[in-house]
Amino acid sequence: MNFSEKLIGWFEKNKRDLPWRKTKNPYFIWVSEIILQQTRVEQGLPYYKRFIKKFPTIKDLATAREDDVMKQWQGLGYYSRARNMHCTAKEICKSYKGKFPEKFEEILSLKGIGKYTASAISSFAFNLPFPVVDGNVQRVFARIFGISDSSGFAVAEKKFYSLGHKLLDKTNPGTFNQAIMEFGAIHCTPLLPKCNHCVFSGDCFALKTNRVKEFPSKKIKVKPRTRFFYYLIIKAGDSTFIKKRKGNDIWIDLYEFPLIESAKALSKNEILHSAQWKNFFGNISVKIISISKYQKHILSHQLINGQFWEVEMPSGTKIKQALKTFQLVKFTNLNKFPVSRMIEKYMVENGEGFTKNNRGK
DNA sequence: AACCCGGGGGT
DNA sequence: ACCCCAGGGTT
């Protein structure tokens, strides 16, 4: 048996029953691939079901409001994925009459679709012979063939794609690609791979040399940056101020409360005398209703300490220019706006009229 | 080529 | 505390 026969033999016995494996609709496959980038199947599955129900066709997605698209993504992370999908849906309507392109180069040219996703869609939906190389495939290849180059670098990438092209079953690329990723995801796992009963046990370099733990070689990780976010929940009757995040930072296009940010922890006094506080309130005396404990919010690359201040401005206060750049929104309407997990968690526990995003189970 | 972008779950 | 995940865009 060759590589592909062993692999697909294993796949047919062990594959999971997943909704995107039952369709050839390139739009559904695209949605699933984007959701599953850097995201586990169990976490992405409810989002996938909700997303294609809310936006059943490319046109539905293209004509949706940005806030509605972001709301569907709320809590998933890497929000540029949602922005890029929205943009690409519009592009497909404009340049391809709403029909998903069927050529690899066309698919690859779309925003948010790189080499991996273009290969996945091409092979799954159109049975084109492009090998997928994701984290799973790299781990499987690294172990079986003893590739010690650190993944993420050009040399390693060339070796992985070269192997992929060589081993790919050209008569059935879609099944081969799904099989090798599934094999990495549930058999040749990062920790505790099931080497004692493996179809490649006779071929695997790492196993034969008793060096499974050394493959794939680890990449150097960056030290996360620490930040302190002080969010002001300003009570103005039954309303409060929010604004969409912009710029070149995390959580772009999600909404948040007026924010005082610092690279180090600030005391209550430091906040009350900060330039940012004065920018919002000037010298008027604001009533502080409550100050929450720090909420630690961990991202892969940042550690954010969030603190929520509930404050009330004296009635009849003239609103400073800084606050005029915000939207005044009723507490009961906060649910309509996509927010980060950190804000969602706080509001679910303490906010008025805010319920958890319905993301299934 | 290096850096940036979230969040969750496993160990 | 550390690991990893069906990666892609920007600089």
Side-chain angles (χ1 to χ4, degrees):
Chain A
M1 283 211 290
N2 65 24
F3 185 94
S4 172
E5 290 164 346
K6 288 177 188 169
L7 176 67
I8 292 177
W10 171 89
F11 182 60
E12 295 305 337
K13 282 187 201 132
N14 297 284
K15 65 181 172 188
R16 291 169 292 183
D17 181 27
L18 300 170
W20 45 86
R21 294 219 175 110
K22 297 176 182 167
T23 181
K24 290 282 183 186
N25 181 334
Y27 169 62
F28 290 168
I29 292 171
W30 173 43
V31 172
S32 74
E33 287 304 329
I34 301 300
I35 288 177
L36 266 30
Q37 285 170 6
Q38 306 300 97
T39 305
R40 290 168 192 281
V41 166
E42 312 84 71
Q43 189 195 355
L45 188 52
Y47 281 88
Y48 170 78
K49 290 177 178 169
R50 269 199 305 154
F51 199 94
I52 63 171
K53 190 172 179 183
K54 178 96 174 173
F55 312 117
T57 69
I58 295 174
K59 192 179 175 186
D60 292 316
L61 178 58
T63 55
R65 289 171 52 237
E66 182 194 82
D67 282 0
D68 291 334
V69 177
M70 299 310 287
K71 193 71 193 176
Q72 289 302 309
W73 214 264
Q74 180 176 310
L76 248 191
Y78 284 116
Y79 297 92
S80 64
R81 294 184 291 175
R83 283 198 309 280
N84 288 338
M85 281 194 80
H86 197 196
C87 170
T88 287
K90 292 175 186 170
E91 170 66 18
I92 292 175
C93 284
K94 187 177 153 215
S95 301
Y96 300 96
K97 298 176 183 174
K99 190 170 182 298
F100 204 95
E102 301 185 5
K103 293 178 184 164
F104 178 83
E105 294 301 335
E106 291 172 340
I107 298 171
L108 182 60
S109 75
L110 298 171
K111 199 168 176 69
I113 297 183
K115 201 168 175 183
Y116 162 77
T117 306
S119 301
I121 297 171
S122 298
S123 62
F124 299 164
F126 307 119
N127 216 32
L128 298 175
F130 294 90
V132 290
V133 176
D134 69 341
N136 287 317
V137 175
Q138 293 183 25
R139 183 172 58 256
V140 172
F141 283 173
R143 286 174 176 162
I144 296 179
F145 301 104
I147 297 170
S148 53
D149 305 78
S150 236
S151 56
F153 291 95
V155 178
E157 173 141 336
K158 284 192 87 166
K159 290 187 182 178
F160 289 132
Y161 269 101
S162 166
L163 269 170
H165 276 292
K166 197 167 80 188
L167 296 170
L168 180 67
D169 179 348
K170 310 294 189 300
T171 64
N172 219 341
T175 303
F176 178 94
N177 279 343
Q178 296 209 28
I180 193 160
M181 289 197 289
E182 186 77 337
F183 182 74
I186 67 177
H187 193 98
C188 193
T189 47
L191 275 58
L192 303 175
K194 302 168 175 62
C195 302
N196 52 338
H197 57 96
C198 178
V199 291
F200 296 113
S201 57
D203 315 305
C204 182
F205 174 87
L207 182 61
K208 285 195 284 192
T209 56
N210 198 24
R211 292 169 58 195
V212 173
K213 274 193 246 177
E214 295 175 37
F215 295 93
S217 61
K218 292 182 202 166
K219 341 174 182 174
I220 313 101
K221 61 180 170 205
V222 292
K223 198 170 145 185
R225 172 161 68 118
T226 302
R227 306 167 75 173
F228 292 82
F229 281 14
Y230 300 92
Y231 277 125
L232 307 176
I233 303 172
I234 303 169
K235 303 210 165 188
D238 59 357
S239 300
T240 193
F241 296 90
I242 63 171
K243 187 162 74 177
K244 191 181 283 196
R245 275 184 81 89
K246 287 295 174 189
N248 199 16
D249 199 357
I250 58 173
W251 302 331
I252 296 168
D253 289 340
L254 301 190
Y255 289 78
E256 66 182 2
F257 302 105
L259 170 65
I260 292 174
E261 181 178 352
S262 166
K264 64 176 184 61
L266 298 178
S267 68
K268 182 175 172 181
N269 249 341
E270 285 173 316
I271 289 176
L272 293 176
H273 293 98
S274 68
Q276 299 172 82
W277 179 276
K278 285 199 171 69
N279 192 30
F280 289 134
F281 303 120
N283 287 317
I284 65 164
S285 62
V286 174
K287 184 180 173 190
I288 295 165
I289 300 168
S290 69
I291 300 174
S292 79
K293 287 193 290 190
Y294 278 113
Q295 277 187 227
K296 211 180 273 284
H297 189 84
I298 300 163
L299 309 181
S300 58
H301 47 299
Q302 296 183 24
L303 198 167
I304 296 165
N305 297 284
Q307 193 175 67
F308 292 83
W309 288 46
E310 286 190 340
V311 306
E312 199 170 341
M313 295 173 72
S315 59
T317 307
K318 196 158 184 283
I319 292 172
K320 297 270 294 183
Q321 190 60 39
L323 280 179
K324 285 183 183 167
T325 65
F326 287 75
Q327 265 179 268
L328 197 56
V329 177
K330 284 189 161 62
F331 282 100
T332 50
N333 287 338
L334 281 178
N335 264 322
K336 295 191 174 71
F337 299 88
V339 298
S340 71
R341 273 306 248 162
M342 182 168 64
I343 289 183
E344 182 192 346
K345 280 181 182 168
Y346 178 78
M347 294 304 290
V348 167
E349 287 167 24
N350 307 287
E352 304 170 35
F354 197 90
T355 56
K356 195 167 176 174
N357 192 24
N358 174 29
R359 67 165 57 77
K361 67 174 167 109

